[in-house]
Amino acid sequence: MKLNYMSLSTPSTLACMLLAVMLLTAGCRKEKSTGPSDLDQNYFVIEDNPNDPIDHSIYEFYKSTGIASFYNDTIYKRKVSKENEYPERYTYVTLSLEYMPLENIWTYHVPLSSREKIPALLDLMKTDVVPKLPDVRLFPSILLIDSFINYINTNIQVSHGWTTLYGFNTLGLVVKDVEAMSSADRKMYAASILAGIAEKRVNKVTGTRVQNEFLSVSREASKNLFPFEVDIYYGIPFIYLIPPDQIPPPNDIGFLFYPTFDMGGFLVDNMLRETDDIRAYLTAVFYYTEQEFADLHPNQTLLLKKFNSMRSFAKEAGFKIPE
């Protein structure tokens, strides 16, 4: 009987031996000592600081609502450098308004310059905002800021709904002097805060209905406005497309306002974006009852149609609105 033998060449033998040595060395290598991990740490927890009235008010708000609020975007810091290593190295956890996955907008915000307005704002949040939110968690935390910018529009009013903005891991909230406000101004401020919170959920819950039942109203009303086909929500100054005397009043095409654009010191009417229109109507929905809005805009069919559509969307998304 003929026997078949397998022979290994010298290079192959050496390679196998080298591999065996590497595996043995890796298996015998001393493991790094275990230490605490940050993977399961909840950074959105507020500890009380009874010696600081501002910090204590933030803790009280957290205790009553479960919402963590911060006035600094760095919420955690830990030294990671070795002993006697210079320069020292740290790891940070920060709140971000500038980064949003799958979004193509840019955002710039101004950090909070004074903490003194925080307690009155948080009291307003407890009484006029949080009770009107759906029974689902919509944002992990709040970052209190002076202002933010995410487009070219100027002269932004509270009634336009640009008081809050979703970021990557927080909700940016523009802090205003609540104590100096009239009751009507406080109500409008709360409505504007709610509008910024509600926009994302309304779009998610209602799907294409916002497009088909709300935004389509102004698109249809303005379809013959320009000499060529342009979406009314294009977000550029009207004067790039038509003469100023041909720009219709905003109410005539279903808008509550026109934003303005500063063109070298000359303010011109700007076209809305979809988000501008949605936020303005949501602010109105959180401020007015159906009858109050109808009394304010008698016989303005387009406005009433869009307002009633947005009312139904907000309720469907779980928000409480004036009845």
Side-chain angles (χ1 to χ4, degrees), residues 37-38 60 90 116 142 146 151 157 184 201 227-228 239 259 270:
S37 169
D38 296 328
E60 290 293 327
Y90 294 87
E116 303 307 314
I142 293 175
D146 270 355
Y151 201 58
Q157 303 298 310
R201 179 163 174 82
F228 46 88
I239 62 172
N270 210 39

Side-chain angles (χ1 to χ4, degrees), residues 6 29 49 76 96 127 139 141 179 209-210 218 269:
M6 181 178 70
R29 183 179 298 161
N49 180 8
Y76 177 77
S96 175
T127 58
F139 43 88
S141 66
E179 290 185 336
R209 290 172 55 207
V210 171
S218 290
D269 288 332

Side-chain angles (χ1 to χ4, degrees), residues 223-269:
K223 64 181 181 180
N224 298 319
L225 180 60
F226 305 115
F228 46 88
E229 186 174 347
V230 176
D231 186 8
I232 192 62
Y233 292 107
Y234 200 52
I236 62 173
F238 278 101
I239 62 172
Y240 289 161
L241 301 169
I242 54 177
D245 60 355
Q246 293 183 17
I247 302 173
N251 291 175
D252 287 1
I253 53 175
F255 292 149
L256 294 174
F257 75 104
Y258 284 145
T260 56
F261 173 63
D262 188 345
M263 187 174 287
F266 180 59
L267 296 180
V268 298
D269 288 332

